[in-house]
């Protein structure tokens, strides 16, 4: 019995490890998170940025853990999670989760009311940005592009992120 339980536990750990971000994905995630955090801080913004493993309860049936997300309505936050759609969600793609990020989560986030959704692909150095508020605009960028952030486009100093040029 002990051996069977240990085998199941090891199988679960191997699965969880395989599903995680690659090292390059973690570096990209950290850089993007830092860029957003610094922008909010410098602009005295009301939004907050979070990273996994913070839960987002989109509705009664769907709880997700995005890699990065931004919430501009403090009423959606409690001590443990975000209740409702964040304004902006960013997922870092790995080979094991690509189809889920590009299809399942895309549909889920659109229907839940997320305003902007980015899929960052470190292996191909590509970002797909969905701006759901502006007639579901889809834009594709490289890591060398300055990517405008839709939820901050109306600010006097809008945010744009270039993955290959970390925040200063």
């Amino acid at each position: 019995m002990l051996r069977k339980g240990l085998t199941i536990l090891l199988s679960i750990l191997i699965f969880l490890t395989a599903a995680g971000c690659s090292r390059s994905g973690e570096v990209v995630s950290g850089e993007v998170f830092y860029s957003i955090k610094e922008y909010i801080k410098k602009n005295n913004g009301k939004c907050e940025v979070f990273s996994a493993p913070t839960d987002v309860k989109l509705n009664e049936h769907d709880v997700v853990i995005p890699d990065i997300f931004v919430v501009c309505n403090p009423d959606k936050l409690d001590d443990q999670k975000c209740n409702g759609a964040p304004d902006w969600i960013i997922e870092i793609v790995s080979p094991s989760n690509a189809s889920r990020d590009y299809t399942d989560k895309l549909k889920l986030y659109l229907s839940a009311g997320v305003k902007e959704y980015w899929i960052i692909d470190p292996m191909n150095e590509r970002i797909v940005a969905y701006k759901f508020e502006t007639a579901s605009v889809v834009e594709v960028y490289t890591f060398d592009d300055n990517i405008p952030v839709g939820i901050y486009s109306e600010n006097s100093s809008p945010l744009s992120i270039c993955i290959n040029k970390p925040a200063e």
Side-chain angles (χ1 to χ4, degrees):
M1 182 64 170
L2 179 60
R3 185 167 174 80
K4 185 176 182 180
L6 183 58
T7 302
I8 291 170
L9 178 60
L10 288 174
S11 297
I12 291 169
L13 289 174
I14 289 168
F15 172 75
L16 290 174
T17 302
C21 253
S22 66
R23 194 179 90 218
S24 63
E26 289 295 328
V27 170
V28 168
S29 180
E31 291 291 343
V32 171
F33 180 89
Y34 178 77
S35 296
I36 298 166
K37 183 107 175 144
E38 284 302 300
Y39 175 82
I40 292 169
K41 187 186 223 179
K42 285 179 184 175
N43 290 279
N44 298 314
K46 63 178 180 129
C47 302
E48 290 187 61
V49 61
F50 299 89
S51 62
T54 306
D55 287 349
V56 173
K57 185 177 180 184
L58 294 170
N59 55 50
E60 288 302 313
H61 307 287
D62 298 304
V63 177
V64 293
I65 304 173
D67 293 313
I68 300 170
F69 65 95
V70 175
V71 178
C72 298
N73 179 350
D75 293 337
K76 290 184 176 183
L77 301 170
D78 63 29
D79 289 339
Q80 298 177 328
K81 66 187 167 309
C82 172
N83 297 290
D87 294 87
W88 179 21
I89 292 180
I90 300 168
E91 297 286 6
I92 312 296
V93 170
S94 66
S96 64
N97 70 1
S99 65
R100 182 160 158 74
D101 288 338
Y102 282 104
T103 57
D104 301 340
K105 288 184 180 178
L106 173 64
K107 291 175 192 171
L108 182 62
Y109 295 159
L110 174 62
S111 68
V114 172
K115 295 176 184 176
E116 188 162 352
Y117 174 43
W118 286 17
I119 303 172
I120 299 177
D121 181 347
M123 289 184 63
N124 295 306
E125 294 195 359
R126 181 179 69 177
I127 300 95
V128 179
Y130 296 90
K131 296 174 182 171
F132 298 135
E133 280 195 319
T134 53
S136 296
V137 171
V138 180
E139 297 169 327
V140 180
Y141 300 94
T142 70
F143 278 21
D144 292 321
D145 293 328
N146 281 310
I147 307 162
V149 177
I151 67 165
Y152 292 117
S153 63
E154 301 295 317
N155 289 13
S156 59
S157 175
L159 171 62
S160 66
I161 294 176
C162 180
I163 304 283
N164 280 341
K165 182 181 178 228
E168 298 171 354

